[in-house]
């Protein structure tokens, strides 16, 4: 519907090509860029950055949350630090990261990792702390032991909240990547967009945005699928 | 007492000696919350295979005593020994919601074939069909039976039941009484049943205790054969005595 209106507006000249090209123009640009390999290359570079950053950030976020969640000592060591770091503006760190890591892949991956780590940490930590203490007593009378308690009660109990964190962190991962790629890049989707801007290729810019959005929707759909599979035990969750 | 005999292992004990050693022995048990002593010098023995019911006013410390016996509370004073394995069924079923019913029953279970043992226990409580169900889809009575199966499958020497039927409707409760009675006859664990319901205690237990003022204040033996009838004349007198202990007149109690 929106697409049809958009197409009509562009076709009648109501919407100048320079501001926003017609959907058909963007689609054909997309096909061209796929054919000459520009778009697939850019996507694969950006996806790799997002994936590496995400994995590092997720490992750190979940790992620290488990550490802080399972022991008072861990909590005292980890939580104050995380709460302090959380107050830092993520994108304000970009100049610092460039100073530290140069302008290669590292600052981009680091920014994504940092953005991912916090929502996962906060949600997983509160998920662990929110596990019903009465179930911990069950583990006790069933003689599950410490590891059994963690494996059968604490971690599965924290999972729903951790998955909320996962969805938030994926949103932030794409956002962080887009911002980082705008600042400095010689490859990837951000580079493609920046490059196109210099040549006034609005169609390529819009195409890049559409691809970002599609990637975001795709990962969100993956998490939903994961939720559906992992949380079937919840009442009202369709199997 | 057999407890003191050196070199006697359970396997070589003659049955009489084993029966002579109580599964629970509590002397002078105390438990304070702040200044208040909720348990204050409580004594309790439960013989092997004995069915004991524990009555008491709300807040009298029944759950506190049961938690101490379950090993869930280590801040108690006095002497407490439990000789053998313990299983617990709580007031709420406390099934682990993300494990299917059968997995709940086998949780922490060691032995050659936990799955078969779980299926046997589920069959005993009439839940054969529900082994693959998620706990949140069970009815209250089904969940309570699953919780009972989880306790029984461990073949405990002592089964602790903390008001396991109080949330159930009257009909389901009657069914559960029969079930517990049957299971007890078959497996003969020592049972401590905490309850508010004087009739429940009189129908099921060998011995009925009343907890008051932090200690066992009253004890009645119920020598009747099972299954018992609620309206048996001997129970009427016992009921009146127990209700008086709980501060209720029989008229109020039966109303
Ligand atoms: N963890 C705790 N901290 C402080 N007070 C507690 C705690 N646990 C129990 N108490 C107090 O100890 C008293 C006895 O509690 P308990 O749960 O043993 O009573 P109960 O006999 O089981 O009562 P009910 O029949 O209502 O279940 C209550 O007054 C309760 O408030
Ligand atoms: Mg209680």
């Amino acid at each position: 519907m929106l697409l049809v209106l958009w197409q009509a507006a562009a076709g009648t000249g109501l919407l100048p090509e320079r501001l926003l090209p017609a959907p058909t123009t963007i689609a054909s640009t997309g096909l061209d860029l796929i054919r000459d390999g520009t778009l697939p290359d850019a996507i694969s570079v950006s996806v790799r950055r997002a994936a590496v950053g995400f994995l590092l950030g997720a490992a750190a976020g979940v790992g620290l949350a488990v550490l802080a969640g399972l022991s008072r000592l861990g909590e005292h060591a980890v939580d104050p630090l995380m709460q302090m770091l959380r107050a830092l503006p993520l994108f304000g760190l970009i100049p610092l990261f460039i100073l530290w890591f140069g302008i290669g892949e590292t600052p981009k991956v680091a920014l994504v990792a940092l953005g991912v780590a916090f929502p996962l940490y906060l949600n997983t930590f509160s998920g662990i702390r929110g596990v019903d203490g009465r179930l911990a007593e069950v583990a006790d009378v069933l003689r599950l032991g410490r590891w059994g308690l963690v494996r059968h009660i604490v971690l599965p109990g924290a999972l729903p909240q951790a998955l909320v964190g996962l969805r938030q962190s994926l949103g932030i991962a794409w956002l962080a990547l887009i911002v980082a790629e705008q600042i400095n890049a010689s490859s990837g989707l951000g580079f493609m967009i920046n490059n196109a801007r210099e040549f006034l290729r609005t169609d390529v810019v819009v195409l890049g945005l559409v691809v970002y959005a599609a990637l975001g929707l795709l990962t969100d759909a993956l998490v939903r699928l994961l939720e559906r599979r992992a949380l079937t035990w919840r009442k009202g969750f369709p199997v | 007492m057999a407890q003191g005999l050196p070199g006697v292992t359970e396997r070589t004990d003659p049955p009489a000696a084993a029966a002579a050693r109580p599964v629970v022995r509590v002397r002078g048990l105390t438990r304070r919350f702040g200044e208040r002593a909720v348990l204050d010098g409580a004594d309790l023995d439960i013989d092997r295979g004995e069915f004991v019911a524990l009555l008491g006013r709300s807040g009298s410390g029944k759950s506190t005593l049961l938690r101490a016996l379950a090993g869930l509370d280590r801040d108690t004073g006095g002497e407490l020994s439990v000789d053998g394995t313990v299983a617990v069924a709580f007031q709420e079923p406390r099934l682990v919601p993300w494990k299917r019913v059968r997995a709940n029953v086998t949780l922490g279970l060691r032995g050659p074939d936990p799955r078969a043992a779980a299926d046997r226990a589920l069959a005993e409580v009439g839940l054969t069909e529900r082994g693959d169900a998620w706990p949140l889809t069970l009815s209250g009575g089904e969940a309570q039976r699953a919780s009972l199966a989880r306790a029984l499958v461990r073949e405990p020497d002592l089964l602790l039941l903390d008001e396991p039927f109080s949330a159930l409707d009257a009909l389901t409760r009657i069914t559960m009484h029969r079930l517990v009675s049957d299971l007890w006859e078959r497996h003969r664990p020592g049972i401590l049943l905490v309850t508010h319901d004087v009739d429940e205690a009189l129908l099921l237990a060998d011995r009925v205790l009343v907890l008051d003022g932090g200690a066992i204040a009253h004890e009645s033996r119920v020598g009747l054969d099972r299954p018992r009838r609620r309206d048996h004349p001997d129970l009427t007198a016992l009921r009146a005595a127990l209700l008086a202990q709980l501060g209720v007149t029989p008229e109020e109690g039966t109303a």
Side-chain angles (χ1 to χ4, degrees), chain B:
Chain B
M1 222 175 230
Q3 218 171 13
L5 293 178
V8 177
T9 69
E10 216 167 329
R11 199 155 299 200
T12 53
D13 263 356
R21 187 169 56 203
V23 63
V24 169
R25 194 184 136 86
V26 169
R27 290 291 175 275
L29 192 72
T30 56
R31 177 63 163 104
R32 281 172 208 288
F33 294 109
E35 288 297 287
R36 232 173 100 235
V38 170
L39 295 178
D40 191 7
D43 298 343
L44 171 68
D45 285 315
I46 299 176
D47 285 333
R48 273 169 203 283
E50 189 187 20
F51 198 141
V52 176
L54 181 64
L55 294 167
R57 269 182 273 226
S58 182
S60 58
K62 304 183 294 296
S63 297
T64 305
L65 177 59
L66 182 128
R67 290 169 53 80
L69 292 175
L72 289 173
D73 185 357
R74 272 140 195 136
D75 298 327
T76 53
E79 223 183 285
L80 183 154
S81 77
V82 175
D83 182 26
T85 53
V86 185
V88 187
F90 296 95
Q91 176 163 1
E92 341 78 70
R94 298 202 192 181
L95 299 173
V96 180
W98 43 86
K99 292 189 178 289
R100 292 181 196 269
V101 169
R102 187 182 296 103
N104 259 281
V105 176
T106 55
L107 192 56
L109 192 63
R110 280 163 273 268
D113 193 350
R115 193 190 156 97
D119 283 338
R120 253 177 280 128
L122 285 171
E124 281 198 298
V125 300
L127 283 181
T128 306
E129 308 286 295
R130 307 292 274 145
D132 291 318
W134 294 110
L136 291 178
T137 66
L138 298 182
S139 74
E142 285 174 334
Q144 207 51 265
R145 280 184 279 153
S147 156
L148 207 53
R150 182 173 66 185
L152 277 171
V153 76
R154 281 141 236 276
E155 299 179 359
D157 298 309
L158 175 64
L159 179 59
L160 301 171
L161 304 172
D162 193 354
E163 304 193 38
F165 318 128
S166 61
L168 303 178
D169 65 90
L171 270 179
T172 313
R173 205 180 307 173
I174 291 171
T175 322
M176 293 292 285
H177 289 164
R178 198 176 311 141
L179 177 64
V180 167
S181 194
D182 289 349
L183 291 172
W184 174 72
E185 301 261 3
R186 210 168 315 144
H187 300 282
R188 285 288 167 158
I191 295 186
L192 181 67
L193 170 71
V194 169
T195 175
H196 273 125
D197 182 343
V198 174
D199 278 325
E200 181 172 293
L202 288 173
L203 285 176
L204 294 173
D206 297 316
R207 202 148 55 92
V208 182
L209 309 176
V210 176
L211 186 63
D212 195 15
I216 305 297
H218 177 90
E219 168 177 333
S220 297
R221 268 184 197 284
V222 188
L224 298 176
D225 289 339
R226 296 175 176 86
R228 296 173 185 155
R229 297 173 51 97
R230 245 164 237 270
D231 53 6
H232 193 287
D234 290 6
L235 291 187
T236 315
L238 281 171
R239 184 180 297 119
L242 287 169
L243 287 170
Q245 276 294 323
L246 295 165
V248 185
T249 66
E251 293 73 42
E252 287 174 310
T254 50

Side-chain angles (χ1 to χ4, degrees), chain A residues 165-176 216 219-220:
Chain A
L166 181 63
R167 280 180 78 175
Q168 288 176 5
S169 72
L170 279 170
I172 293 182
W174 289 115
L175 196 66
T219 50
D220 202 58

Side-chain angles (χ1 to χ4, degrees), chain A residues 2 74 117 136 187 192:
Chain A
L2 198 68
S187 59
M192 191 184 87

